[in-house]
Amino acid sequence: MRAELESLVEEIKQSMELLRRRLDWDAAKRELDELNARSEDPTLWDNPEEAQALMQKRTSLENQMNAVGNFESELEDLTALAEMATEEGDEESLDETQELMTALRDKAQNAEIEALLSGEADGNDCFVEIHPGAGGTESNDWASMLLRMYVRWAGQRGYKVDVIEQQPGDEAGIKSATIQIKGHNAYGWMKTESGVHRLVRISPYDSNARRHTSFASVWVYPVIDDKIDIEINESECRIDTFRASGAGGQHVNTTDSAVRITHIPTNIVVQCQNERSQHKNRATAWNMLRARLYELELQKREEAASAEAASKTDIGWGHQIRSYVLQPYQLVKDTRTQVEHQDPDAVLNGAVDGFMSAALAQRVGGDAA
């Protein structure tokens, strides 16, 4: 068997061993047996919230354990194919097996990262806010490119995206946007994207075709459920209503249906304009505020997250977590992990898993999950 194939086999085995250790295999098996027994209790659904939480936990644990079993089975099959191709001197089959083995290695490493998503809110849906830095049209356009990147990333993962609010720029791009990404571990993955993102390119809005540098900030926080109690003193909040802008029909554009809530003690501002009903927008905005305050509490307990939050106060030089260079050369580089990608177009079309995985592994490795 080729040395490259043997190396891939060892990498896959290491990932599977790490998965087993992180799962605490024997304890996980006992827990799954208990969850399966409880799920068969006919009185379980007397409390729908408790039942739903139990079923989600069971599904998550079952999926993780099944993944390890599937990896072992696939590895066994591919190893047998490689040995057979080696004996027959079939180079074409060896090439194909190596490609399949590489794909399996990537899947196993991705599952290894998924197993790290054990934070208090990692499994939750999340809100993503995007704001351009100074720079007018250039920064507005960059913010819209980031919005498109995350929408595409979510779609590739099978997540659902709802637009909560979006303020179009005067000439192009957006002045701000908030989306909700719905799917298992959405917050766990997306939390690594919070920070300032820097773009270098020849501006399509500059008649002299000069190179411009633009900045935009991304803020990610988890959607929380009713079981997490966040107390908000309404007397400490300012509520404003305003006329929604952009698409939405005559009703949206002629009534004060959009809602903005400012939490005065923390200066947190949230807004929602995606519904025609002011009542619905108000309810969503309150949920967003609760989520932001909850995330603030999480940050207080996570030193690394607090440091990241501090770095997001200035959307400009020296604070970026990632640079996207389109000219004079092509490179996307994460300043935290030093991970690079030489195809910015692919990244801007949603290929950001590599950056997320590296940042997540770094946070976990630094006890800052």
Side-chain angles (χ1 to χ4, degrees), residues 148-309:
R148 176 178 175 271
M149 180 178 79
Y150 291 125
V151 169
R152 291 207 164 193
W153 171 83
Q156 289 163 13
R157 278 192 162 263
Y159 291 162
K160 182 183 177 185
V161 176
D162 289 340
V163 177
I164 303 299
E165 69 89 18
Q166 185 172 325
Q167 298 287 335
D170 294 331
E171 296 180 26
I174 56 174
K175 292 181 178 179
S176 71
T178 303
I179 59 175
Q180 182 177 350
I181 300 179
K182 299 178 178 180
H184 181 59
N185 284 337
Y187 175 67
W189 282 105
M190 276 298 302
K191 68 182 180 182
T192 62
E193 292 298 290
S194 285
V196 175
H197 297 246
R198 169 178 173 256
L199 173 71
V200 180
R201 66 171 176 174
I202 300 297
S203 171
Y205 306 101
D206 187 334
S207 58
N208 294 315
R210 291 172 294 190
R211 194 163 71 243
H212 284 245
T213 299
S214 306
F215 297 92
S217 69
V218 176
W219 183 271
V220 182
Y221 50 101
V223 175
I224 60 176
D225 54 38
D226 294 335
K227 291 180 290 185
I228 299 174
D229 186 25
I230 301 294
E231 292 186 8
I232 302 176
N233 188 342
E234 293 193 25
S235 65
E236 297 178 336
C237 298
R238 183 175 70 248
I239 303 175
D240 300 305
T241 57
F242 58 98
R243 197 165 293 179
S245 60
Q250 183 178 0
H251 177 84
V252 169
N253 293 320
T254 58
T255 63
D256 292 339
S257 60
V259 175
R260 179 187 298 115
I261 301 176
T262 304
H263 187 249
I264 297 169
T266 59
N267 202 33
I268 289 174
V269 180
V270 296
Q271 64 184 42
C272 180
Q273 66 173 48
N274 67 318
E275 300 286 351
R276 294 188 175 190
S277 161
Q278 184 188 114
H279 176 74
K280 291 181 178 178
N281 284 333
R282 185 184 295 258
T284 300
W286 278 116
N287 286 336
M288 291 168 65
L289 179 58
R290 290 176 64 241
R292 284 287 298 271
L293 290 172
Y294 172 66
E295 195 239 5
L296 191 62
E297 288 301 312
L298 287 180
Q299 287 182 3
K300 289 177 181 178
R301 288 176 274 156
E302 299 175 3
E303 291 183 3
S306 294
E308 283 186 12

Side-chain angles (χ1 to χ4, degrees), residues 1-11 82 86 91 94 98 101 105:
M1 193 186 301
R2 291 175 181 170
E4 296 92 336
L5 281 167
E6 291 176 351
S7 176
L8 286 169
V9 169
E10 287 306 311
E11 289 182 55
T86 300
E91 288 297 319
L94 277 172
Q98 186 166 330
M101 196 86 77
R105 187 269 316 272

Side-chain angles (χ1 to χ4, degrees), residues 32-46:
L32 183 59
D33 289 340
E34 291 173 6
L35 291 171
N36 284 332
R38 289 175 60 191
S39 69
E40 295 174 1
D41 184 346
T43 65
L44 174 66
W45 289 95
D46 291 348

Side-chain angles (χ1 to χ4, degrees), residues 318-331:
H319 296 281
Q320 66 267 14
I321 64 166
R322 192 176 303 142
S323 291
Y324 306 70
V325 181
L326 307 188
Q327 279 98 13
Y329 53 89
Q330 301 250 310
L331 181 70

Side-chain angles (χ1 to χ4, degrees), residues 130-144 146 167 169 173-177 214-218 315:
I130 300 174
H131 300 278
T137 300
E138 270 296 319
S139 292
N140 290 352
D141 190 44
W142 173 222
S144 69
L146 284 173
Q167 298 287 335
I174 56 174
K175 292 181 178 179
S176 71
S214 306
F215 297 92
S217 69
V218 176
I315 311 176

Side-chain angles (χ1 to χ4, degrees), residues 63-78:
N63 287 344
Q64 291 180 67
M65 296 185 73
N66 285 343
V68 176
N70 290 338
F71 290 142
E72 289 176 340
S73 177
E74 285 187 59
L75 179 59
E76 188 177 329
D77 291 343
L78 289 174

